Amino acid sequence: MSIQFENIARRAGADGKVNALEVQAMRRECWPDGRISQDEAEAIFALNRQLSERGTEWTDFFVEALGEYVLNQRAPLGYVDQENADWLMAQIDADGKLGSMAELELLVRVFERAQNVPVALKEYAEKQIEKAVLEGTGPTRCGGELEAGNVNETEARLLRRAIFAPASERPAAVGRGEAEMLFRIKDATIGGNNSPEWKRLFVQGVANYLQGYSDANAQISRERAAELQAFMNDTNHGVGSFLMRVGKSSPNVFGTVFGKRDNGPSRAEGVAAAHEVTSSEQDWLDAKINADGKIDEYEQALLDFLAEE
């Protein structure tokens, strides 16, 4: 970390503000080669905790710089390893809370840009986002504000981004944990001044869990991605040796990479099968709806939607 960067951070932290010129200077000092060191990343987090005001320029820099550090400092790019996930959670928890909208936006950005993240980070982000929607207040990076006690349009958009992000629990679809989160938020805000967008998201999100299709191969582990990248980067063996080792390592890789068809169900058949609500899914839904002995307007809207489908 350069002395110039330290000086800028020290001055900014002294008065609790960072102006646009200081942000530009920090971009030049800590990001000239497109890489962020751990010392710089931790200094950016520490400065964010000191700020009493966080403008758009600072939040953009915070999200972009730290997103780059978490996602693209180690190969394979776009995969968050357990060490980086632990680091990110520790930095956010350093003051015992999700300290700013910048930290919340960083979490969502990581899930939008990552190919996959560890399960522990998925569970952590789900809890933090739920808490922010239910209890958070203040302006967001993308306009609008978080409001405690209800779900406004801004918060509904934030939730939608989070649960449909590529690295979320179930990519391009809603997972069971996320569906249960939607029910908890619904129960906690049932009497609030909620946005119509929230009801749409609740219905679509839960219905997607019950009926949506998600490719089982849409996410692979970071370790598997590293193996495949090593195969592709290996220039010390011939093509035949390469294909033999790929085949031994992953018998199905020829079907997924080279287009060979197997005898499994087609995608259309998978979509049709996913659309059918299974007995276990129905039991889950019944338990959620019957938990308080009555059907509220959100649950009724969900039931109506499923009946039409």
Side-chain angles (χ1 to χ4, degrees):
M1 182 167 59
S2 72
I3 295 176
Q4 177 69 2
F5 181 85
E6 288 187 71
N7 290 337
I8 295 170
R10 190 179 302 110
R11 287 198 305 271
D15 62 4
K17 302 176 183 178
V18 179
N19 61 42
L21 291 178
E22 289 170 327
V23 171
Q24 290 178 11
M26 279 189 278
R27 281 184 181 273
R28 288 195 301 269
E29 287 300 316
C30 78
W31 214 348
D33 58 355
R35 297 186 64 82
I36 303 291
S37 72
Q38 182 166 329
D39 285 344
E40 290 166 338
E42 291 179 354
I44 293 168
F45 251 115
L47 176 54
N48 185 66
R49 288 191 284 269
Q50 296 175 14
L51 297 179
S52 56
E53 296 182 15
R54 300 175 181 87
T56 302
E57 294 87 356
W58 166 257
T59 302
D60 286 347
F61 168 67
F62 179 88
V63 171
E64 292 165 12
L66 293 177
E68 175 66 22
Y69 173 75
V70 171
L71 289 169
N72 294 323
Q73 298 304 295
R74 301 175 187 173
L77 303 185
Y79 288 84
V80 180
D81 65 13
Q82 189 62 56
E83 183 179 348
N84 262 5
D86 291 341
W87 177 88
L88 177 59
M89 291 185 284
Q91 290 295 318
I92 292 175
D93 287 341
D95 54 3
K97 59 182 179 180
L98 188 68
S100 72
M101 295 304 106
E103 292 176 347
L104 177 62
E105 186 67 28
L106 172 61
L107 266 180
V108 176
R109 169 63 73 89
V110 166
F111 278 75
E112 288 179 324
R113 298 286 295 276
Q115 299 295 322
N116 205 355
V117 307
V119 172
L121 184 57
K122 294 178 194 281
E123 295 173 347
Y124 174 85
E126 185 179 294
K127 292 176 182 176
Q128 294 292 342
I129 292 167
E130 178 179 356
K131 185 174 181 180
V133 169
L134 290 176
E135 303 175 12
T137 58
T140 67
R141 180 188 186 215
C142 301
E145 297 201 359
L146 300 186
E147 300 172 354
N150 65 298
V151 184
N152 61 29
E153 185 174 352
T154 297
E155 292 163 325
R157 288 200 304 266
L158 179 70
L159 282 167
R160 187 179 291 277
R161 289 172 59 200
I163 65 177
F164 285 106
S168 64
E169 180 184 355
R170 190 171 168 230
V174 176
R176 180 163 180 163
E178 293 162 338
E180 291 180 344
M181 175 184 69
L182 295 178
F183 262 100
R184 288 194 300 271
I185 294 174
K186 183 266 297 178
D187 290 340
T189 61
I190 194 67
N193 182 26
N194 298 320
S195 165
E197 178 57 29
W198 161 237
K199 181 183 283 189
R200 276 192 294 273
L201 176 59
F202 173 79
V203 170
Q204 292 170 352
V206 176
N208 186 280
Y209 162 62
L210 295 170
Q211 298 182 310
Y213 171 78
S214 181
D215 187 346
N217 297 315
Q219 287 179 344
I220 61 173
S221 70
R222 179 183 181 275
E223 292 72 22
R224 185 66 188 126
E227 290 176 4
L228 293 174
Q229 186 175 80
F231 282 135
M232 296 302 296
N233 293 338
D234 183 2
T235 59
N236 295 321
H237 298 83
V239 173
S241 174
F242 167 79
L243 294 177
M244 183 179 295
R245 286 180 294 114
V246 172
K248 288 180 179 178
S249 174
S250 181
N252 294 324
V253 76
F254 293 104
T256 57
V257 175
F258 297 106
K260 179 181 178 181
R261 298 182 64 85
D262 57 26
N263 295 323
S266 67
R267 187 178 188 279
E269 291 170 333
V271 171
H275 190 75
E276 296 297 322
V277 178
T278 66
S279 59
S280 62
E281 290 171 338
Q282 188 63 56
D283 289 343
W284 174 86
L285 179 60
D286 291 343
K288 289 296 179 185
I289 289 179
N290 295 330
D292 58 1
K294 59 183 179 181
I295 299 177
D296 60 49
E297 63 176 294
Y298 292 83
E299 294 167 344
Q300 188 60 59
L302 172 62
L303 292 173
D304 293 342
F305 180 84
L306 293 173
E308 291 175 2
E309 291 293 300

